[in-house]
Amino acid sequence: MVIKVFLATSSGSTAIKKKQQDVLGFLEALKIDFAQLDIACNEENRMWMRENVPEEKKPENGIPLPPQIFNNESYCGDYDTFFDAKEDNDVYTFLGLPAPPGSKKRRSALEESQEVEGEEERDEGDQPVSEDEEALVSEEEEELRQLEEPEEPISEEEQEEDE
């Protein structure tokens, strides 16, 4: 899977330049492999991009502006949809990529699937079935115990030392 970012290296618009830099910088920060395809210097890139942006996503004049983002041949979106996905912490879904291990979206998806599986697999005593669930319950119980335990009183000697 190759993420393709169509951009214009010689754009006179500072707004377009900033949007392009934002997309490229964010993809680099996430260490997502991508290819930059210049539409200013390469007519084939320009024509391909214009032909492959869906009609409903094109502006009124019919000419989509960079940056435009694709996953291979599949259209992902323009800067505005990229920005929305970034704000929603949903860039991997936007790009059609699996979220990496440890990411928020991946943890949420795993937690949801474990909750569903746990609800289906619980026995009559409503006890956790999987080891992950048992560990999670144990951690929560330990945290509750720590919160409920009263602090040890400070002796008079310790109070005098503090003063």
Side-chain angles (χ1 to χ4, degrees), residues 105-118:
K105 286 291 180 181
R106 185 166 197 121
R107 280 194 303 258
S108 297
L110 286 173
E111 288 168 1
E112 287 176 16
S113 69
Q114 287 174 348
E115 286 175 13
V116 170
E117 289 173 8

Side-chain angles (χ1 to χ4, degrees), residues 63-82:
I63 301 172
L65 297 174
Q68 296 291 330
I69 305 163
F70 290 80
N71 182 337
N72 287 325
E73 311 300 312
S74 300
Y75 181 71
C76 298
D78 61 4
Y79 176 78
D80 292 333
T81 53
F82 172 81

Side-chain angles (χ1 to χ4, degrees), residues 6 16 20 39 49-50 59 61 63-68 78-79:
F6 288 85
I16 288 176
Q20 293 175 160
I39 64 168
M49 180 193 82
R50 288 182 178 177
N61 69 3
I63 301 172
L65 297 174
Q68 296 291 330
D78 61 4
Y79 176 78

Side-chain angles (χ1 to χ4, degrees), residues 94-144:
F94 167 80
L95 296 172
L97 299 173
S103 71
K104 289 181 181 179
K105 286 291 180 181
R106 185 166 197 121
R107 280 194 303 258
S108 297
L110 286 173
E111 288 168 1
E112 287 176 16
S113 69
Q114 287 174 348
E115 286 175 13
V116 170
E117 289 173 8
E119 289 172 8
E120 294 170 356
E121 296 176 7
R122 290 189 189 275
D123 60 14
E124 289 179 19
D126 204 29
Q127 296 296 317
V129 178
S130 72
E131 292 177 22
D132 291 337
E133 286 179 314
E134 287 179 13
L136 184 60
V137 169
S138 296
E139 288 176 23
E140 290 174 354
E141 287 174 350
E142 181 62 30
E143 288 176 13
L144 285 172

